[in-house]
Amino acid sequence: RGKMKRLSILLIALLFFGTELKAANQSIDELLDGFHSAAANSNFDDYFSHFSSNGYFLGTDAAERWSVEKFKHYARPAFSAGRGWRYLVLSRNLESVSGLDVVWFDEILTNARLGKCRGTGVVVKENGNWKIAQYSLTLLIPNDIAVSVGTLSMKADALVAPLR
């Protein structure tokens, strides 16, 4: 009897955790899809509402490590002119740690000008809502052209001042 009771409790706990995980994943998918939609529609306020209060955006250039406040200054002119950015999600993976309070993700995206990209990041629960604490965008470079892209990148880096 004792074993059966413990097994029943374990099964109920697993079912509950599975349901909670599924709900969290759905909420995070909605958060990230809304984030991309707001950018595509140049909706400044909606876009930035997806970030946590201490969030960061890491762009494709090595100098692009922006706090949300700094990123707003960069993005405002583009969004005001209706020139947001459109990335279509091809696939997404979510992984959790610390129960359900922190989730990291990676997604493969496509963009009309840049081709395939990868977005990676961390989402956290802030005041009961999922928010993006860090989003990093990188270009996906096929291995057979990586050396030539790397060479071009090193040449471009030689033309600009070193990073501090």
PDB file of all heavy atoms in Angstrom, residues 33-65:
ATOM      1  N   ASP A  33       7.402  35.044 -30.236  1.00  0.00           N
ATOM      2  CA  ASP A  33       6.677  35.338 -31.474  1.00  0.00           C
ATOM      3  C   ASP A  33       6.183  36.786 -31.459  1.00  0.00           C
ATOM      4  O   ASP A  33       6.259  37.492 -32.479  1.00  0.00           O
ATOM      5  CB  ASP A  33       5.503  34.384 -31.666  1.00  0.00           C
ATOM      6  CG  ASP A  33       5.940  32.959 -31.991  1.00  0.00           C
ATOM      7  OD1 ASP A  33       7.122  32.749 -32.368  1.00  0.00           O
ATOM      8  OD2 ASP A  33       5.101  32.043 -31.855  1.00  0.00           O
ATOM      9  N   GLY A  34       5.699  37.259 -30.312  1.00  0.00           N
ATOM     10  CA  GLY A  34       5.258  38.643 -30.187  1.00  0.00           C
ATOM     11  C   GLY A  34       6.403  39.631 -30.343  1.00  0.00           C
ATOM     12  O   GLY A  34       6.245  40.711 -30.935  1.00  0.00           O
ATOM     13  N   PHE A  35       7.551  39.274 -29.822  1.00  0.00           N
ATOM     14  CA  PHE A  35       8.776  40.067 -29.947  1.00  0.00           C
ATOM     15  C   PHE A  35       9.116  40.272 -31.424  1.00  0.00           C
ATOM     16  O   PHE A  35       9.330  41.397 -31.885  1.00  0.00           O
ATOM     17  CB  PHE A  35       9.887  39.318 -29.197  1.00  0.00           C
ATOM     18  CG  PHE A  35      11.267  39.870 -29.294  1.00  0.00           C
ATOM     19  CD1 PHE A  35      11.608  41.040 -28.646  1.00  0.00           C
ATOM     20  CD2 PHE A  35      12.253  39.181 -29.984  1.00  0.00           C
ATOM     21  CE1 PHE A  35      12.908  41.521 -28.697  1.00  0.00           C
ATOM     22  CE2 PHE A  35      13.554  39.654 -30.035  1.00  0.00           C
ATOM     23  CZ  PHE A  35      13.876  40.831 -29.392  1.00  0.00           C
ATOM     24  N   HIS A  36       9.125  39.170 -32.185  1.00  0.00           N
ATOM     25  CA  HIS A  36       9.448  39.257 -33.613  1.00  0.00           C
ATOM     26  C   HIS A  36       8.358  40.007 -34.384  1.00  0.00           C
ATOM     27  O   HIS A  36       8.656  40.796 -35.292  1.00  0.00           O
ATOM     28  CB  HIS A  36       9.655  37.859 -34.197  1.00  0.00           C
ATOM     29  CG  HIS A  36      10.882  37.182 -33.675  1.00  0.00           C
ATOM     30  ND1 HIS A  36      12.145  37.735 -33.750  1.00  0.00           N
ATOM     31  CD2 HIS A  36      11.046  35.976 -33.071  1.00  0.00           C
ATOM     32  CE1 HIS A  36      13.031  36.913 -33.213  1.00  0.00           C
ATOM     33  NE2 HIS A  36      12.385  35.842 -32.787  1.00  0.00           N
ATOM     34  N   SER A  37       7.106  39.792 -34.024  1.00  0.00           N
ATOM     35  CA  SER A  37       5.994  40.473 -34.690  1.00  0.00           C
ATOM     36  C   SER A  37       6.060  41.981 -34.452  1.00  0.00           C
ATOM     37  O   SER A  37       5.862  42.777 -35.376  1.00  0.00           O
ATOM     38  CB  SER A  37       4.666  39.903 -34.193  1.00  0.00           C
ATOM     39  OG  SER A  37       3.586  40.589 -34.766  1.00  0.00           O
ATOM     40  N   ALA A  38       6.333  42.384 -33.224  1.00  0.00           N
ATOM     41  CA  ALA A  38       6.430  43.814 -32.902  1.00  0.00           C
ATOM     42  C   ALA A  38       7.563  44.469 -33.700  1.00  0.00           C
ATOM     43  O   ALA A  38       7.413  45.597 -34.188  1.00  0.00           O
ATOM     44  CB  ALA A  38       6.642  44.011 -31.401  1.00  0.00           C
ATOM     45  N   ALA A  39       8.685  43.764 -33.862  1.00  0.00           N
ATOM     46  CA  ALA A  39       9.798  44.310 -34.653  1.00  0.00           C
ATOM     47  C   ALA A  39       9.386  44.456 -36.117  1.00  0.00           C
ATOM     48  O   ALA A  39       9.647  45.486 -36.747  1.00  0.00           O
ATOM     49  CB  ALA A  39      11.023  43.408 -34.534  1.00  0.00           C
ATOM     50  N   ALA A  40       8.743  43.436 -36.661  1.00  0.00           N
ATOM     51  CA  ALA A  40       8.333  43.464 -38.067  1.00  0.00           C
ATOM     52  C   ALA A  40       7.321  44.578 -38.326  1.00  0.00           C
ATOM     53  O   ALA A  40       7.293  45.155 -39.420  1.00  0.00           O
ATOM     54  CB  ALA A  40       7.745  42.116 -38.466  1.00  0.00           C
ATOM     55  N   ASN A  41       6.507  44.900 -37.324  1.00  0.00           N
ATOM     56  CA  ASN A  41       5.492  45.945 -37.465  1.00  0.00           C
ATOM     57  C   ASN A  41       5.955  47.311 -36.958  1.00  0.00           C
ATOM     58  O   ASN A  41       5.150  48.233 -36.848  1.00  0.00           O
ATOM     59  CB  ASN A  41       4.213  45.517 -36.737  1.00  0.00           C
ATOM     60  CG  ASN A  41       3.566  44.337 -37.413  1.00  0.00           C
ATOM     61  OD1 ASN A  41       3.360  44.347 -38.629  1.00  0.00           O
ATOM     62  ND2 ASN A  41       3.257  43.300 -36.655  1.00  0.00           N
ATOM     63  N   SER A  42       7.236  47.416 -36.626  1.00  0.00           N
ATOM     64  CA  SER A  42       7.821  48.668 -36.125  1.00  0.00           C
ATOM     65  C   SER A  42       7.059  49.219 -34.935  1.00  0.00           C
ATOM     66  O   SER A  42       6.908  50.427 -34.779  1.00  0.00           O
ATOM     67  CB  SER A  42       7.877  49.724 -37.242  1.00  0.00           C
ATOM     68  OG  SER A  42       8.655  49.276 -38.314  1.00  0.00           O
ATOM     69  N   ASN A  43       6.596  48.318 -34.071  1.00  0.00           N
ATOM     70  CA  ASN A  43       5.847  48.721 -32.880  1.00  0.00           C
ATOM     71  C   ASN A  43       6.827  48.836 -31.711  1.00  0.00           C
ATOM     72  O   ASN A  43       7.084  47.873 -30.992  1.00  0.00           O
ATOM     73  CB  ASN A  43       4.736  47.714 -32.582  1.00  0.00           C
ATOM     74  CG  ASN A  43       3.821  48.199 -31.487  1.00  0.00           C
ATOM     75  OD1 ASN A  43       4.243  48.903 -30.568  1.00  0.00           O
ATOM     76  ND2 ASN A  43       2.570  47.814 -31.564  1.00  0.00           N
ATOM     77  N   PHE A  44       7.356  50.028 -31.540  1.00  0.00           N
ATOM     78  CA  PHE A  44       8.410  50.313 -30.568  1.00  0.00           C
ATOM     79  C   PHE A  44       8.036  49.896 -29.149  1.00  0.00           C
ATOM     80  O   PHE A  44       8.766  49.152 -28.493  1.00  0.00           O
ATOM     81  CB  PHE A  44       8.743  51.806 -30.623  1.00  0.00           C
ATOM     82  CG  PHE A  44       9.881  52.222 -29.748  1.00  0.00           C
ATOM     83  CD1 PHE A  44      11.187  52.164 -30.201  1.00  0.00           C
ATOM     84  CD2 PHE A  44       9.657  52.709 -28.467  1.00  0.00           C
ATOM     85  CE1 PHE A  44      12.250  52.561 -29.398  1.00  0.00           C
ATOM     86  CE2 PHE A  44      10.702  53.102 -27.657  1.00  0.00           C
ATOM     87  CZ  PHE A  44      11.999  53.030 -28.129  1.00  0.00           C
ATOM     88  N   ASP A  45       6.905  50.400 -28.659  1.00  0.00           N
ATOM     89  CA  ASP A  45       6.518  50.128 -27.271  1.00  0.00           C
ATOM     90  C   ASP A  45       6.275  48.638 -27.039  1.00  0.00           C
ATOM     91  O   ASP A  45       6.715  48.088 -26.023  1.00  0.00           O
ATOM     92  CB  ASP A  45       5.281  50.934 -26.882  1.00  0.00           C
ATOM     93  CG  ASP A  45       5.573  52.432 -26.801  1.00  0.00           C
ATOM     94  OD1 ASP A  45       6.723  52.807 -26.503  1.00  0.00           O
ATOM     95  OD2 ASP A  45       4.645  53.229 -27.052  1.00  0.00           O
ATOM     96  N   ASP A  46       5.577  47.999 -27.965  1.00  0.00           N
ATOM     97  CA  ASP A  46       5.314  46.563 -27.824  1.00  0.00           C
ATOM     98  C   ASP A  46       6.623  45.772 -27.856  1.00  0.00           C
ATOM     99  O   ASP A  46       6.839  44.881 -27.040  1.00  0.00           O
ATOM    100  CB  ASP A  46       4.362  46.095 -28.932  1.00  0.00           C
ATOM    101  CG  ASP A  46       3.907  44.657 -28.736  1.00  0.00           C
ATOM    102  OD1 ASP A  46       3.905  44.165 -27.585  1.00  0.00           O
ATOM    103  OD2 ASP A  46       3.543  44.020 -29.745  1.00  0.00           O
ATOM    104  N   TYR A  47       7.498  46.115 -28.777  1.00  0.00           N
ATOM    105  CA  TYR A  47       8.784  45.414 -28.902  1.00  0.00           C
ATOM    106  C   TYR A  47       9.559  45.466 -27.585  1.00  0.00           C
ATOM    107  O   TYR A  47       9.996  44.445 -27.065  1.00  0.00           O
ATOM    108  CB  TYR A  47       9.600  46.036 -30.035  1.00  0.00           C
ATOM    109  CG  TYR A  47      10.932  45.372 -30.277  1.00  0.00           C
ATOM    110  CD1 TYR A  47      11.020  44.161 -30.960  1.00  0.00           C
ATOM    111  CD2 TYR A  47      12.109  45.950 -29.831  1.00  0.00           C
ATOM    112  CE1 TYR A  47      12.238  43.552 -31.192  1.00  0.00           C
ATOM    113  CE2 TYR A  47      13.335  45.355 -30.058  1.00  0.00           C
ATOM    114  CZ  TYR A  47      13.396  44.153 -30.744  1.00  0.00           C
ATOM    115  OH  TYR A  47      14.619  43.547 -30.968  1.00  0.00           O
ATOM    116  N   PHE A  48       9.701  46.651 -27.044  1.00  0.00           N
ATOM    117  CA  PHE A  48      10.517  46.794 -25.839  1.00  0.00           C
ATOM    118  C   PHE A  48       9.819  46.296 -24.579  1.00  0.00           C
ATOM    119  O   PHE A  48      10.478  46.032 -23.579  1.00  0.00           O
ATOM    120  CB  PHE A  48      11.045  48.224 -25.711  1.00  0.00           C
ATOM    121  CG  PHE A  48      12.188  48.461 -26.656  1.00  0.00           C
ATOM    122  CD1 PHE A  48      11.979  49.079 -27.876  1.00  0.00           C
ATOM    123  CD2 PHE A  48      13.457  48.002 -26.358  1.00  0.00           C
ATOM    124  CE1 PHE A  48      13.022  49.253 -28.771  1.00  0.00           C
ATOM    125  CE2 PHE A  48      14.514  48.165 -27.240  1.00  0.00           C
ATOM    126  CZ  PHE A  48      14.290  48.791 -28.454  1.00  0.00           C
ATOM    127  N   SER A  49       8.506  46.110 -24.645  1.00  0.00           N
ATOM    128  CA  SER A  49       7.800  45.537 -23.495  1.00  0.00           C
ATOM    129  C   SER A  49       8.145  44.057 -23.306  1.00  0.00           C
ATOM    130  O   SER A  49       7.865  43.495 -22.252  1.00  0.00           O
ATOM    131  CB  SER A  49       6.287  45.698 -23.661  1.00  0.00           C
ATOM    132  OG  SER A  49       5.766  44.768 -24.609  1.00  0.00           O
ATOM    133  N   HIS A  50       8.754  43.442 -24.290  1.00  0.00           N
ATOM    134  CA  HIS A  50       9.128  42.032 -24.202  1.00  0.00           C
ATOM    135  C   HIS A  50      10.423  41.814 -23.410  1.00  0.00           C
ATOM    136  O   HIS A  50      10.750  40.680 -23.062  1.00  0.00           O
ATOM    137  CB  HIS A  50       9.263  41.437 -25.602  1.00  0.00           C
ATOM    138  CG  HIS A  50       7.950  41.281 -26.296  1.00  0.00           C
ATOM    139  ND1 HIS A  50       7.332  42.336 -26.924  1.00  0.00           N
ATOM    140  CD2 HIS A  50       7.130  40.229 -26.424  1.00  0.00           C
ATOM    141  CE1 HIS A  50       6.186  41.926 -27.432  1.00  0.00           C
ATOM    142  NE2 HIS A  50       6.039  40.651 -27.133  1.00  0.00           N
ATOM    143  N   PHE A  51      11.168  42.883 -23.150  1.00  0.00           N
ATOM    144  CA  PHE A  51      12.433  42.775 -22.421  1.00  0.00           C
ATOM    145  C   PHE A  51      12.222  42.905 -20.921  1.00  0.00           C
ATOM    146  O   PHE A  51      11.345  43.639 -20.473  1.00  0.00           O
ATOM    147  CB  PHE A  51      13.408  43.877 -22.859  1.00  0.00           C
ATOM    148  CG  PHE A  51      14.101  43.616 -24.158  1.00  0.00           C
ATOM    149  CD1 PHE A  51      13.654  44.197 -25.329  1.00  0.00           C
ATOM    150  CD2 PHE A  51      15.218  42.796 -24.217  1.00  0.00           C
ATOM    151  CE1 PHE A  51      14.294  43.974 -26.530  1.00  0.00           C
ATOM    152  CE2 PHE A  51      15.877  42.566 -25.412  1.00  0.00           C
ATOM    153  CZ  PHE A  51      15.410  43.156 -26.580  1.00  0.00           C
ATOM    154  N   SER A  52      13.087  42.244 -20.160  1.00  0.00           N
ATOM    155  CA  SER A  52      13.105  42.435 -18.714  1.00  0.00           C
ATOM    156  C   SER A  52      13.667  43.821 -18.417  1.00  0.00           C
ATOM    157  O   SER A  52      14.256  44.466 -19.290  1.00  0.00           O
ATOM    158  CB  SER A  52      13.956  41.351 -18.037  1.00  0.00           C
ATOM    159  OG  SER A  52      15.323  41.511 -18.357  1.00  0.00           O
ATOM    160  N   SER A  53      13.497  44.260 -17.196  1.00  0.00           N
ATOM    161  CA  SER A  53      13.943  45.605 -16.815  1.00  0.00           C
ATOM    162  C   SER A  53      15.450  45.785 -16.962  1.00  0.00           C
ATOM    163  O   SER A  53      15.920  46.891 -17.177  1.00  0.00           O
ATOM    164  CB  SER A  53      13.512  45.910 -15.385  1.00  0.00           C
ATOM    165  OG  SER A  53      14.044  44.936 -14.506  1.00  0.00           O
ATOM    166  N   ASN A  54      16.199  44.702 -16.860  1.00  0.00           N
ATOM    167  CA  ASN A  54      17.659  44.796 -17.007  1.00  0.00           C
ATOM    168  C   ASN A  54      18.140  43.986 -18.214  1.00  0.00           C
ATOM    169  O   ASN A  54      19.234  43.444 -18.212  1.00  0.00           O
ATOM    170  CB  ASN A  54      18.361  44.342 -15.734  1.00  0.00           C
ATOM    171  CG  ASN A  54      18.046  42.906 -15.382  1.00  0.00           C
ATOM    172  OD1 ASN A  54      17.122  42.300 -15.928  1.00  0.00           O
ATOM    173  ND2 ASN A  54      18.800  42.345 -14.459  1.00  0.00           N
ATOM    174  N   GLY A  55      17.316  43.942 -19.264  1.00  0.00           N
ATOM    175  CA  GLY A  55      17.626  43.137 -20.445  1.00  0.00           C
ATOM    176  C   GLY A  55      18.737  43.708 -21.308  1.00  0.00           C
ATOM    177  O   GLY A  55      19.084  44.893 -21.217  1.00  0.00           O
ATOM    178  N   TYR A  56      19.281  42.822 -22.151  1.00  0.00           N
ATOM    179  CA  TYR A  56      20.341  43.181 -23.091  1.00  0.00           C
ATOM    180  C   TYR A  56      20.046  42.591 -24.452  1.00  0.00           C
ATOM    181  O   TYR A  56      19.472  41.507 -24.564  1.00  0.00           O
ATOM    182  CB  TYR A  56      21.704  42.655 -22.619  1.00  0.00           C
ATOM    183  CG  TYR A  56      22.394  43.608 -21.697  1.00  0.00           C
ATOM    184  CD1 TYR A  56      22.079  43.645 -20.347  1.00  0.00           C
ATOM    185  CD2 TYR A  56      23.334  44.508 -22.171  1.00  0.00           C
ATOM    186  CE1 TYR A  56      22.682  44.537 -19.495  1.00  0.00           C
ATOM    187  CE2 TYR A  56      23.948  45.408 -21.322  1.00  0.00           C
ATOM    188  CZ  TYR A  56      23.618  45.420 -19.988  1.00  0.00           C
ATOM    189  OH  TYR A  56      24.209  46.322 -19.150  1.00  0.00           O
ATOM    190  N   PHE A  57      20.459  43.330 -25.490  1.00  0.00           N
ATOM    191  CA  PHE A  57      20.389  42.827 -26.859  1.00  0.00           C
ATOM    192  C   PHE A  57      21.811  42.793 -27.409  1.00  0.00           C
ATOM    193  O   PHE A  57      22.532  43.795 -27.335  1.00  0.00           O
ATOM    194  CB  PHE A  57      19.523  43.735 -27.742  1.00  0.00           C
ATOM    195  CG  PHE A  57      19.380  43.210 -29.141  1.00  0.00           C
ATOM    196  CD1 PHE A  57      18.330  42.367 -29.469  1.00  0.00           C
ATOM    197  CD2 PHE A  57      20.297  43.538 -30.120  1.00  0.00           C
ATOM    198  CE1 PHE A  57      18.194  41.866 -30.748  1.00  0.00           C
ATOM    199  CE2 PHE A  57      20.175  43.042 -31.406  1.00  0.00           C
ATOM    200  CZ  PHE A  57      19.123  42.197 -31.719  1.00  0.00           C
ATOM    201  N   LEU A  58      22.208  41.639 -27.938  1.00  0.00           N
ATOM    202  CA  LEU A  58      23.518  41.481 -28.556  1.00  0.00           C
ATOM    203  C   LEU A  58      23.299  41.310 -30.052  1.00  0.00           C
ATOM    204  O   LEU A  58      22.672  40.342 -30.495  1.00  0.00           O
ATOM    205  CB  LEU A  58      24.241  40.249 -27.989  1.00  0.00           C
ATOM    206  CG  LEU A  58      24.315  40.169 -26.460  1.00  0.00           C
ATOM    207  CD1 LEU A  58      24.920  38.849 -26.024  1.00  0.00           C
ATOM    208  CD2 LEU A  58      25.103  41.336 -25.907  1.00  0.00           C
ATOM    209  N   GLY A  59      23.794  42.268 -30.832  1.00  0.00           N
ATOM    210  CA  GLY A  59      23.596  42.238 -32.278  1.00  0.00           C
ATOM    211  C   GLY A  59      24.684  41.472 -33.000  1.00  0.00           C
ATOM    212  O   GLY A  59      25.561  40.856 -32.384  1.00  0.00           O
ATOM    213  N   THR A  60      24.636  41.534 -34.322  1.00  0.00           N
ATOM    214  CA  THR A  60      25.576  40.766 -35.141  1.00  0.00           C
ATOM    215  C   THR A  60      26.967  41.400 -35.182  1.00  0.00           C
ATOM    216  O   THR A  60      27.938  40.724 -35.502  1.00  0.00           O
ATOM    217  CB  THR A  60      25.047  40.631 -36.582  1.00  0.00           C
ATOM    218  OG1 THR A  60      24.827  41.939 -37.122  1.00  0.00           O
ATOM    219  CG2 THR A  60      23.758  39.829 -36.599  1.00  0.00           C
ATOM    220  N   ASP A  61      27.091  42.661 -34.862  1.00  0.00           N
ATOM    221  CA  ASP A  61      28.385  43.332 -34.826  1.00  0.00           C
ATOM    222  C   ASP A  61      28.960  43.227 -33.416  1.00  0.00           C
ATOM    223  O   ASP A  61      28.225  43.326 -32.435  1.00  0.00           O
ATOM    224  CB  ASP A  61      28.195  44.808 -35.215  1.00  0.00           C
ATOM    225  CG  ASP A  61      29.515  45.520 -35.410  1.00  0.00           C
ATOM    226  OD1 ASP A  61      30.183  45.833 -34.396  1.00  0.00           O
ATOM    227  OD2 ASP A  61      29.878  45.774 -36.574  1.00  0.00           O
ATOM    228  N   ALA A  62      30.266  43.074 -33.322  1.00  0.00           N
ATOM    229  CA  ALA A  62      30.910  42.904 -32.015  1.00  0.00           C
ATOM    230  C   ALA A  62      30.651  44.081 -31.076  1.00  0.00           C
ATOM    231  O   ALA A  62      30.664  43.915 -29.863  1.00  0.00           O
ATOM    232  CB  ALA A  62      32.411  42.698 -32.190  1.00  0.00           C
ATOM    233  N   ALA A  63      30.398  45.259 -31.629  1.00  0.00           N
ATOM    234  CA  ALA A  63      30.162  46.446 -30.796  1.00  0.00           C
ATOM    235  C   ALA A  63      28.715  46.530 -30.300  1.00  0.00           C
ATOM    236  O   ALA A  63      28.391  47.406 -29.503  1.00  0.00           O
ATOM    237  CB  ALA A  63      30.512  47.706 -31.582  1.00  0.00           C
ATOM    238  N   GLU A  64      27.852  45.647 -30.760  1.00  0.00           N
ATOM    239  CA  GLU A  64      26.437  45.729 -30.439  1.00  0.00           C
ATOM    240  C   GLU A  64      26.082  44.924 -29.186  1.00  0.00           C
ATOM    241  O   GLU A  64      25.537  43.834 -29.251  1.00  0.00           O
ATOM    242  CB  GLU A  64      25.594  45.261 -31.630  1.00  0.00           C
ATOM    243  CG  GLU A  64      25.735  46.161 -32.832  1.00  0.00           C
ATOM    244  CD  GLU A  64      24.973  45.657 -34.037  1.00  0.00           C
ATOM    245  OE1 GLU A  64      24.700  44.439 -34.135  1.00  0.00           O
ATOM    246  OE2 GLU A  64      24.656  46.484 -34.899  1.00  0.00           O
ATOM    247  N   ARG A  65      26.408  45.475 -28.046  1.00  0.00           N
ATOM    248  CA  ARG A  65      25.976  44.937 -26.749  1.00  0.00           C
ATOM    249  C   ARG A  65      25.264  46.075 -26.041  1.00  0.00           C
ATOM    250  O   ARG A  65      25.890  46.975 -25.481  1.00  0.00           O
ATOM    251  CB  ARG A  65      27.148  44.448 -25.912  1.00  0.00           C
ATOM    252  CG  ARG A  65      26.680  43.824 -24.602  1.00  0.00           C
ATOM    253  CD  ARG A  65      27.839  43.344 -23.734  1.00  0.00           C
ATOM    254  NE  ARG A  65      27.365  42.548 -22.624  1.00  0.00           N
ATOM    255  CZ  ARG A  65      26.872  43.032 -21.479  1.00  0.00           C
ATOM    256  NH1 ARG A  65      26.800  44.330 -21.289  1.00  0.00           N
ATOM    257  NH2 ARG A  65      26.473  42.220 -20.520  1.00  0.00           N
TER     258      ARG A  65
END
